[in-house]
Amino acid sequence: MKKYPIYIKATFLLLLAILAFQCLVWAEFILVPITFGSLFSILLIPVATKFEKWGAHRSLSSFLCIVVMVLIVTILVFLLTRQIISFLNEVPDLTAIVNKRLNDIQEYIERQTSLSPSSQINWVKDKLVTGKSVFSGTMSATASTFATCALVPLYTFFMLFYRDRIFVFFEKITPVEQHQTVYQIIERIKALVQSYLTGILIVMFIISVMVSIGLKIIGVPYAIFLGVLAGLINVVPYLGIVSAAALSILISTIMTNSETAPILVFFLFLITHLLEANIITPNIVGSKVSINTLASLLALIVGAEVWGVVGMILFIPMLGIAKVIMDNVDHLEPYGYLLSKMEAGKHSVTWIGSFRKAKGMFRKKSKKDVTVNK
């Protein structure tokens, strides 16, 4: 086989990466609902299997799974809609308070800089015009992406219905001696997706409760709405909790007369994030999606560029699935190692680890006491 110079190989790989990136952008309408359908079908496989054990036909079990999924989504949307309506009902009062605070800010700026309120407004308008096109383009792309998700239940149904055929397909395209590896990859992907998605839902609920209670204690208005919003957008790693914190701090600054409220809100979200990253997520989601922080950030950036907000949500589990494949294919194993993170015990706090440490400290203290008594 002819060996090519390294610069030719690098050029070829770069062109291949650009082509793959552009194909993902072009095929967004097809790939986004298929990806969601694949993830949800893997999550619902145990439910479909349970229905079939009770005597339901494959088509009926798949349909019942879709009914369960749609029912859960409908309940979540209903609860969120109630919070949004409650928030919108108080918009007139909020507008009056915001206008008063803005007038106070304008007067303060005028005293400090000698800029008249009209000059300040013109400066803000210039800045808003600059970002208007970017914002409108982002919103239209996001709305277009979410519109494609109407196909998700349909894809989920057919993937559940044809799951045995899909499994046999992977068997047929691989040599017999590699079938065991294929079985391992499929089982690990199933465990990863099921653990990740169920864990994300539980973490969303815990974050919503924690933030709502914390904001209520601090005295921030719309605490429940902000808490539920924080739990929902926490599905976007890193950026979600930062966005929720920024919005909550802004509302606490405008809506409360306390100077310490924004500081308390900041520390509330900081503590919540530390607990979520080091205790809640490692214990609930586990180490199934064991991707290091650098790889996760790159996945978020690439996902945002390819599919917008939906890409930021999907590219983390997709990268986790890719890592499972890399870990089980010999010549790809170094790349899987590059994506992996340190062992859980070195960077996170687990319930078992904490119990063992406390138990060890207690034992050491007991031995010391025995020695002193002697």
Side-chain angles (χ1 to χ4, degrees):
M1 182 180 291
K2 184 179 178 181
K3 293 185 177 180
Y4 294 96
I6 185 65
Y7 61 87
I8 294 181
K9 293 181 179 179
T11 303
F12 176 77
L13 290 175
L14 180 61
L15 291 175
L16 185 63
I18 294 173
L19 179 62
F21 182 91
Q22 196 59 46
C23 287
L24 288 173
V25 175
W26 288 335
E28 177 183 352
F29 180 78
I30 300 172
L31 294 179
V32 167
I34 286 179
T35 305
F36 271 116
S38 301
L39 295 176
F40 286 136
S41 63
I42 294 174
L43 176 65
L44 293 171
I45 283 177
V47 182
T49 304
K50 180 67 70 174
F51 284 135
E52 289 165 14
K53 286 182 178 178
W54 292 342
H57 187 266
R58 174 62 59 86
S59 58
L60 179 59
S61 67
S62 302
F63 176 75
L64 291 175
C65 287
I66 301 303
V67 171
V68 171
M69 182 181 75
V70 171
L71 183 62
I72 293 174
V73 172
T74 303
I75 293 173
L76 293 175
V77 171
F78 172 75
L79 295 176
L80 180 61
T81 304
R82 285 191 60 184
Q83 294 300 318
I84 294 175
I85 292 174
S86 175
F87 177 77
L88 292 177
N89 288 335
E90 300 183 21
V91 165
D93 297 334
L94 177 63
T95 303
I97 296 173
V98 169
N99 289 333
K100 183 179 181 303
R101 290 300 176 93
L102 288 177
N103 290 332
D104 294 339
I105 293 172
Q106 284 182 341
E107 292 175 0
Y108 175 79
I109 294 175
E110 186 177 8
R111 288 196 302 269
Q112 298 296 324
T113 63
S114 299
L115 284 175
S116 63
S118 58
S119 301
Q120 298 174 31
I121 293 173
N122 291 331
W123 182 85
V124 172
K125 284 182 178 179
D126 292 338
K127 297 301 178 182
L128 289 176
V129 169
T130 304
K132 183 178 179 181
S133 59
V134 177
F135 176 77
S136 60
T138 303
M139 291 302 294
S140 61
T142 303
S144 173
T145 300
F146 275 105
T148 63
C149 293
L151 296 171
V152 170
L154 187 63
Y155 285 126
T156 305
F157 172 82
F158 283 114
M159 288 182 181
L160 284 171
F161 185 76
Y162 292 117
R163 63 182 184 272
D164 291 340
R165 188 172 292 270
I166 296 173
F167 182 81
V168 173
F169 164 76
F170 286 116
E171 280 188 332
K172 288 182 176 294
I173 63 174
T174 54
V176 177
E177 60 272 13
Q178 295 182 3
H179 280 181
Q180 191 61 36
T181 302
V182 172
Y183 301 151
Q184 291 178 359
I185 291 175
I186 291 175
E187 288 302 318
R188 290 182 181 180
I189 289 176
K190 285 170 58 178
L192 181 148
V193 173
Q194 291 169 3
S195 173
Y196 180 76
L197 293 182
T198 54
I200 285 296
L201 293 175
I202 297 172
V203 170
M204 286 170 57
F205 175 76
I206 293 175
I207 295 298
S208 299
V209 173
M210 288 177 60
V211 173
S212 297
I213 294 175
L215 293 177
K216 203 77 174 177
I217 293 173
I218 295 171
V220 179
Y222 320 113
I224 297 177
F225 170 74
L226 294 173
V228 172
L229 183 64
L232 288 175
I233 63 177
N234 189 63
V235 72
V236 180
Y238 310 113
L239 299 180
I241 195 71
V242 172
S243 302
L247 179 61
S248 300
I249 291 172
L250 178 62
I251 289 181
S252 66
T253 303
I254 296 173
M255 300 293 294
T256 62
N257 295 320
S258 173
E259 296 180 355
T260 60
I263 300 174
L264 294 175
V265 172
F266 170 78
F267 280 106
L268 169 66
F269 276 91
L270 178 62
I271 294 171
T272 301
H273 174 64
L274 292 175
L275 291 174
E276 181 268 330
N278 295 288
I279 298 179
I280 299 173
T281 297
N283 285 279
I284 294 176
V285 180
S287 58
K288 298 293 184 181
V289 188
S290 53
I291 306 297
N292 62 56
T293 304
L294 176 60
S296 299
L297 288 175
L298 289 175
L300 288 175
I301 295 171
V302 174
E305 289 294 323
V306 175
W307 293 338
V309 177
V310 175
M312 298 173 73
I313 296 172
L314 287 178
F315 269 53
I316 296 294
M318 288 171 62
L319 187 61
I321 292 173
K323 183 182 179 300
V324 169
I325 298 173
M326 293 174 185
D327 289 341
N328 288 273
V329 178
D330 292 338
H331 64 278
L332 296 177
E333 194 274 335
Y335 300 99
Y337 174 78
L338 184 64
L339 296 175
S340 63
K341 61 183 179 181
M342 298 171 61
E343 295 179 3
K346 296 181 180 179
H347 70 90
S348 62
V349 182
T350 60
W351 307 125
I352 297 176
S354 301
F355 176 75
R356 287 177 177 172
K357 287 181 180 180
K359 189 176 180 181
M361 292 173 62
F362 180 76
R363 284 181 175 176
K364 289 178 182 179
K365 185 177 180 180
S366 298
K367 290 180 180 179
K368 185 177 179 180
D369 292 340
V370 170
T371 305
V372 172
N373 291 332
K374 287 182 178 180

